[in-house]
Amino acid sequence: MRTAICEMFDVDFPLFAFSHCRDVVAAVTNAGGFGVLGAVAYSPEQLDTELSWIDERVGGRPYGVDVLVPGRIDSSAADANVRLADVIPQRHRDFVTHLFGKYGLGAPEPLSASLSAFADELGRRVTASGAGGLVDVALRHPIRLIASALGPPPPEMVDKARAAGVPVAALVGTVEHARRQVAAGADVIVAQGTEAGGHTGEVSTMVLVPQVVDAVGVPVLAAGGIADGRQMAAALALGAEGVWCGSVWLTTEEAETPLSVRSKMLAATSSDTVRSRCRTGKPARQLRSAWTEEWDEAQESPGALPMPLQMLLAEGAMARITRAAERGDPGARELAGYFVGQVVGQLNQVKPARRVVHDMIDELAAAVARVRDITYDDAPA
Amino acid sequence: MRTAICEMFDVDFPLFAFSHCRDVVAAVTNAGGFGVLGAVAYSPEQLDTELSWIDERVGGRPYGVDVLVPGRIDSSAADANVRLADVIPQRHRDFVTHLFGKYGLGAPEPLSASLSAFADELGRRVTASGAGGLVDVALRHPIRLIASALGPPPPEMVDKARAAGVPVAALVGTVEHARRQVAAGADVIVAQGTEAGGHTGEVSTMVLVPQVVDAVGVPVLAAGGIADGRQMAAALALGAEGVWCGSVWLTTEEAETPLSVRSKMLAATSSDTVRSRCRTGKPARQLRSAWTEEWDEAQESPGALPMPLQMLLAEGAMARITRAAERGDPGARELAGYFVGQVVGQLNQVKPARRVVHDMIDELAAAVARVRDITYDDAPA
């Protein structure tokens, strides 16, 4: 294929695979796409290990890294003297304790104890300085892209990437954000529709992509609602130079998805997701679950905290919920969930990541041929 | 163009134009598309007049009619002995009176008086028997399609349409609804994404269309998020046989849209819509306005009534709000709004409807050519 993105990133097939799992990243890159590792799951040391693992397997083929640096987060995260776990209000801790009791997960260990161990480090990965540490590690590897998943890329990140000759991508949910991110130095815009998994806006991919393409002078990747070759063909028709997919990898053989969550995804329809603040503090699309329903709808819910506090609280609880769900605990299975887009309704089969890429190549070719045949005789009188 | 839909409906260009305005319907049909008149705006007598007007102008070219027959509405609407205006609770009337006061529309005339005149008739147009009256009128004209905009087409409607040799279309927002509508007799499915204006579900067009295409054995039109030829090309890539557009006609020269609302639409971005029950009682996407904010967010809001009661209350109030907005009343301009999809962000120019069709034809050809060029060299190693 020939798009500006293919040339810019030296790929055959402009399919970008966002994943927290190094196996997926390497598999997609080796299949002719471009893997992007979500770094927020890792400490700088862990990230270094993951990227070295990838380097050993991709033989110089291109891949990238994604960090999360939201423009607005709770001010406590910027204060190195504050223990973030201590900032979480008792009312919110109590609600989690209540949920553990209600869903039969037994008397919880005191949340603060389990949280403190990793809360500060995790919470500060999403600050400009915390993400900077991840960026420094990433740039010591032969990465070909740094992406900012939320908010404009901070100036230091852009400067470091420029110095290393690495393009910067930014995810956006509105035309206004796209303009702002390009002004902040983004070389590629990922226009992500509301149907996407994870942090997402309200405008759909179909509506967002052509407007972003018209508004910015840099290549645009489409994200949200793309899990097969027909959807990739649609994204190209909208003016995108390639696609950015996240959800479709979650049910691949390589994915890190816990089996209890994967089986929920395989069974889910496209109506079984919800955009909620209850997991990170910012609106993020995820599987609908007892966790999302309790936080969003229960009378006694205290409402989500700002990022990163809600993220600490939720991830601390979710780690325990997931372990219990994996053991078959029925209450934990109700609470368990994960970020995923509306395409979850199409994910009905576990495949190797490489096969997902190859299927998408074949489906894209078929979709393009179909549209060509339909419109061949075009232009009515 | 050559699609199953083109053959079935004898059109050159599979673009279906939903509008409450006969001028738009005739203009699109005469430009090689297929106009569909929304009948719920009319009494049977008025509908007869509108369709006769269209018949005189389209010279036998194909057009259709759309009715609204939701499966579940307030039981009062089925009881001919109930005056619907009397069923609206005082608390809800009081809230409208409060809004009129707050936005400076002066002391309102008693709402019940202004409502009673048309409430019963309007409210019962959305019952199976009320819609049946509209269908009877429509089938006395040379229509080529009857569409059911909400809920499965009632058996009597399907029987009458079959007897007249007129295909039935049904709008759906989920795969499950698509299967149900086909089982109820729909010959064509309009798969409508959440980004669409008016009554709409939660799943986006990008995600919904391919799943509906795979699930049903009848031709599928894509709706929601389609206002230019790139979006039409995307819909065809997703597997649709054509498209169904509503919002794009609202800013055409012919449209019935009041100027005060049209200027809001021309200025709006794609983030300026909201899916709310506050206009009809069922979730419908519309311009965000003081009306939607007050009903959805104000502490004192009593919440929306079920259909058709909320529709009566809102349309009664909106008729007066729109008149005041047209006079330039600033409070009324804040409250005024109308159904429109997220594509409102693309509607920045008033054009004749015919020109919209011609632009879409040209843009489609360009988009298909672009995708063909990008993918010509396809199938990476």
Side-chain angles (χ1 to χ4, degrees):
Chain A
M1 285 183 54
R2 293 177 302 203
T3 74
I5 287 287
C6 291
E7 296 207 1
M8 193 167 180
F9 293 102
D10 195 20
V11 288
D12 298 312
F13 193 63
L15 164 61
F16 287 64
F18 172 81
S19 176
H20 290 109
C21 171
R22 63 188 185 183
D23 303 78
V24 169
V25 171
V28 173
T29 285
N30 283 328
F34 190 108
V36 181
L37 188 73
V40 75
Y42 303 105
S43 68
E45 297 70 29
Q46 289 166 331
L47 181 64
D48 194 44
T49 305
E50 301 298 300
L51 298 184
S52 296
W53 187 95
I54 293 171
D55 292 336
E56 282 167 25
R57 276 151 190 90
V58 299
R61 290 186 194 83
Y63 75 94
V65 162
D66 175 289
V67 296
L68 196 63
V69 201
R72 273 182 300 190
I73 58 173
D74 194 76
S75 58
S76 59
D79 182 347
N81 297 318
V82 172
R83 285 178 63 236
L84 291 178
D86 294 344
V87 186
I88 296 173
Q90 191 58 43
R91 194 169 156 230
H92 290 76
R93 297 168 192 270
D94 288 347
F95 185 61
V96 173
T97 305
H98 155 74
L99 292 181
F100 273 55
K102 179 170 174 182
Y103 289 87
L105 271 74
E109 52 188 296
L111 271 175
S112 58
S114 65
L115 273 175
S116 296
F118 77 112
D120 280 2
E121 202 276 326
L122 175 60
R124 288 183 175 119
R125 276 181 216 157
V126 300
T127 63
S129 67
L134 295 170
V135 169
D136 290 339
V137 167
L139 288 172
R140 290 202 291 271
H141 294 263
I143 62 166
R144 299 287 292 271
L145 174 76
I146 287 191
S148 169
L150 245 186
E156 319 87 76
M157 180 173 139
V158 173
D159 292 345
K160 288 175 184 173
R162 285 271 156 78
V166 173
V168 174
L171 276 74
V172 306
T174 68
V175 173
E176 187 47 39
H177 289 169
R179 288 203 185 95
R180 200 186 305 160
Q181 312 287 55
V182 170
D187 303 295
V188 171
I189 291 292
V190 183
Q192 178 179 268
T194 186
E195 54 267 69
H199 295 111
T200 185
E202 295 187 289
V203 181
S204 80
T205 299
M206 189 73 114
V207 173
L208 181 67
V209 172
Q211 292 186 65
V212 171
V213 167
D214 290 343
V216 300
V218 303
V220 173
L221 298 172
I226 302 167
D228 74 20
R230 291 175 292 187
Q231 291 158 329
M232 181 166 178
L236 298 176
L238 294 173
E241 303 274 333
V243 297
W244 174 282
C245 304
S247 302
V248 71
W249 315 110
L250 294 171
T251 52
T252 57
E253 284 178 4
E254 293 89 342
E256 77 284 15
T257 321
L259 292 182
S260 55
V261 174
R262 191 171 83 176
S263 64
K264 275 193 165 185
M265 289 182 178
L266 293 170
T269 74
S270 290
S271 301
D272 294 327
T273 73
V274 63
R275 187 173 166 268
S276 168
R277 296 181 189 272
C278 71
R279 183 101 183 213
T280 72
K282 290 192 181 274
R285 189 172 299 283
Q286 53 200 287
L287 278 179
R288 194 184 297 275
S289 68
W291 177 269
T292 66
E293 283 166 10
E294 293 283 356
W295 278 95
D296 293 342
E297 294 161 33
Q299 194 83 47
E300 60 273 35
S301 168
L305 292 164
M307 184 179 272
L309 303 179
Q310 186 70 18
M311 189 170 82
L312 306 186
L313 189 62
E315 293 306 319
M318 273 300 160
R320 297 172 54 203
I321 289 167
T322 304
R323 282 196 300 274
E326 292 292 283
R327 286 195 308 267
D329 185 295
R333 292 201 160 196
E334 286 186 69
L335 289 165
Y338 195 62
F339 307 106
V340 73
Q342 291 186 337
V343 295
V344 70
Q346 300 169 231
L347 308 179
N348 304 319
Q349 199 187 347
V350 177
K351 297 182 193 178
R354 182 182 184 81
R355 166 99 182 278
V356 172
V357 180
H358 290 169
D359 285 353
M360 213 176 289
I361 291 170
D362 292 345
E363 293 156 358
L364 172 68
V368 172
R370 176 179 177 275
V371 173
R372 198 175 47 201
D373 290 349
I374 287 175
T375 54
Y376 186 70
D377 220 335
D378 51 27
Chain B
M1 285 184 53
R2 294 176 301 203
T3 74
I5 286 288
C6 291
E7 294 207 2
M8 193 168 181
F9 293 102
D10 195 21
V11 288
D12 299 312
F13 193 64
L15 165 62
F16 287 64
F18 172 81
S19 176
H20 290 108
C21 171
R22 63 189 185 183
D23 302 78
V24 169
V25 171
V28 173
T29 285
N30 283 327
F34 190 108
V36 181
L37 188 72
V40 76
Y42 303 106
S43 68
E45 298 70 29
Q46 290 166 330
L47 181 63
D48 194 44
T49 305
E50 301 298 299
L51 298 184
S52 296
W53 187 95
I54 293 170
D55 292 336
E56 282 167 24
R57 277 152 189 88
V58 299
R61 291 186 193 83
Y63 75 95
V65 162
D66 174 289
V67 295
L68 197 63
V69 201
R72 274 181 299 190
I73 57 174
D74 194 75
S75 58
S76 58
D79 182 348
N81 296 318
V82 172
R83 287 177 62 237
L84 291 179
D86 294 344
V87 186
I88 295 173
Q90 191 58 42
R91 191 167 159 232
H92 289 76
R93 296 168 193 271
D94 288 347
F95 185 61
V96 172
T97 305
H98 154 74
L99 292 182
F100 273 55
K102 178 170 175 182
Y103 289 87
L105 271 74
E109 53 187 294
L111 271 174
S112 59
S114 66
L115 273 176
S116 296
F118 78 112
D120 280 2
E121 202 276 328
L122 175 59
R124 287 183 175 119
R125 274 181 216 158
V126 301
T127 63
S129 68
L134 295 170
V135 169
D136 290 339
V137 167
L139 288 173
R140 290 201 292 271
H141 293 264
I143 62 166
R144 301 286 294 273
L145 173 76
I146 287 191
S148 168
L150 246 186
E156 320 86 76
M157 180 172 140
V158 173
D159 292 345
K160 287 175 184 174
R162 286 270 156 79
V166 172
V168 174
L171 276 74
V172 306
T174 67
V175 173
E176 186 47 39
H177 288 170
R179 289 203 184 95
R180 199 187 305 161
Q181 312 287 55
V182 170
D187 303 296
V188 171
I189 290 292
V190 183
Q192 178 179 268
T194 185
E195 55 266 71
H199 294 111
T200 185
E202 295 187 289
V203 181
S204 80
T205 299
M206 189 72 115
V207 173
L208 181 66
V209 171
Q211 292 186 66
V212 171
V213 167
D214 289 344
V216 300
V218 303
V220 173
L221 297 172
I226 302 167
D228 74 19
R230 290 175 291 187
Q231 291 158 328
M232 182 166 177
L236 298 177
L238 294 174
E241 303 274 333
V243 296
W244 173 282
C245 304
S247 302
V248 72
W249 315 110
L250 294 170
T251 53
T252 58
E253 284 177 4
E254 293 89 342
E256 77 284 15
T257 322
L259 291 182
S260 55
V261 174
R262 192 171 82 175
S263 64
K264 275 192 165 185
M265 288 182 179
L266 293 170
T269 74
S270 290
S271 301
D272 293 329
T273 73
V274 63
R275 187 172 165 270
S276 168
R277 296 181 188 272
C278 71
R279 184 99 184 214
T280 71
K282 290 191 181 276
R285 190 173 297 281
Q286 54 200 286
L287 278 179
R288 193 185 300 276
S289 68
W291 177 269
T292 66
E293 282 166 10
E294 293 283 356
W295 277 95
D296 293 343
E297 294 162 32
Q299 194 82 49
E300 60 273 37
S301 167
L305 293 164
M307 184 179 271
L309 303 179
Q310 185 71 16
M311 189 169 82
L312 305 185
L313 188 63
E315 293 306 320
M318 273 298 161
R320 298 172 55 204
I321 289 167
T322 305
R323 281 196 300 274
E326 292 292 284
R327 287 194 307 266
D329 185 294
R333 292 201 162 198
E334 286 185 70
L335 289 165
Y338 194 62
F339 307 106
V340 73
Q342 291 186 338
V343 293
V344 71
Q346 299 169 233
L347 308 179
N348 304 319
Q349 199 187 349
V350 177
K351 297 182 192 179
R354 182 182 186 80
R355 166 98 181 279
V356 172
V357 179
H358 290 167
D359 286 352
M360 213 175 288
I361 291 170
D362 293 344
E363 292 156 356
L364 172 68
V368 173
R370 176 179 177 276
V371 173
R372 198 174 47 200
D373 290 350
I374 288 175
T375 55
Y376 187 69
D377 221 337
D378 51 27

